[in-house]
């Protein structure tokens, strides 16, 4: 069981790190670049990104990390009191709440609304403005949460050794 927990902790650290990098890129330059080009182009580009990101490799990292975090949170709950288990529980919950829950509750509905508009319409331009005003701050939250999760997983792994 310890080997499984150790392997899933490494996997989750890697997954949280990859997600932190992805979210960081969107927070620091991708969305700014899309906002600078004509609205119809920005909308079209983001619609395409939202379609192409749904692929098996992304699913493995995003969803696989979530599944590993669920398992780690449950097993850590039963081992509370050890520093490593406490850190793994915190890292797992941070990923599950700050990445998965935020994505499902805030980012996905905004992505769905954007997918439903014609990029060349006035309604599309209105949705785009709302999208940028709401999606980007929630992406900042996901960036910080995934980075925090990564840091906690690393500390937990260092604590074990």
């Amino acid at each position: 069981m310890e080997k499984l927990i150790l392997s899933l902790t490494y996997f989750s650290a890697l997954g949280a790190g990859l997600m932190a990098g992805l979210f960081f890129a969107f927070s620091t330059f991708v969305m700014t670049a899309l906002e600078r080009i004509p609205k119809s182009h920005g909308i079209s580009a983001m619609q395409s990104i939202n379609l192409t990101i749904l692929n098996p490799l992304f699913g493995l990292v995003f969803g696989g990390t979530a599944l590993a975090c669920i398992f780690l949170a449950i097993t850590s709950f039963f081992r509370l009191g050890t520093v490593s288990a406490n850190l793994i529980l915190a890292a797992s919950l941070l990923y599950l709440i700050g990445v998965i829950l935020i994505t499902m509750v805030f980012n996905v509905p905004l992505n769905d609304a954007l997918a439903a508009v014609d990029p060349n319409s006035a309604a599309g331009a209105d949705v785009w403005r709302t999208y940028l005003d709401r999606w980007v701050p929630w992406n900042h939250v996901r960036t910080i949460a995934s980075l925090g999760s990564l840091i906690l997983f690393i500390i937990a792994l260092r604590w074990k050794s």
Side-chain angles (χ1 to χ4, degrees):
M1 183 62 123
E2 283 302 312
K3 285 184 182 181
L4 177 62
I5 291 171
L6 183 62
S7 296
L8 289 176
T9 303
Y10 274 108
F11 175 80
S12 296
L14 180 61
L18 287 168
M19 294 312 303
L22 175 71
F23 296 143
F24 180 79
F26 274 86
S27 283
T28 58
F29 63 87
V30 172
M31 296 309 291
T32 302
L34 294 179
E35 187 175 17
R36 288 183 178 178
I37 61 178
K39 288 177 179 62
S40 62
H41 296 209
I43 295 167
S44 294
M46 196 65 199
Q47 287 172 333
S48 181
I49 289 167
N50 287 336
L51 287 174
T52 59
I53 200 165
L54 300 176
N55 65 67
L57 188 55
F58 175 80
L60 175 65
V61 174
F62 182 78
T65 302
L67 291 174
C69 285
I70 290 169
F71 179 84
L72 289 171
I74 292 168
T75 58
S76 293
F77 183 77
F78 291 107
R79 298 178 315 124
L80 284 178
T82 67
V83 175
S84 179
N86 294 347
L87 289 166
I88 290 171
L89 178 61
S92 297
L93 292 176
L94 188 54
Y95 185 85
L96 291 168
I97 294 166
V99 175
I100 301 300
L101 185 65
I102 293 296
T103 298
M104 295 304 143
V105 172
F106 298 105
N107 296 89
V108 168
L110 291 166
N111 290 346
D112 292 344
L114 188 67
V117 300
D118 175 356
N120 296 305
S121 68
D126 291 341
V127 169
W128 182 237
R129 182 76 262 147
T130 301
Y131 186 87
L132 291 170
D133 290 344
R134 294 186 183 155
W135 192 94
V136 173
W138 286 115
N139 192 67
H140 295 336
V141 171
R142 297 187 304 172
T143 303
I144 293 165
S146 53
L147 185 59
S149 180
L150 168 64
I151 291 167
L152 290 170
F153 279 128
I154 290 171
I155 294 170
L157 287 164
R158 291 290 298 148
W159 195 269
K160 279 183 168 275
S161 53

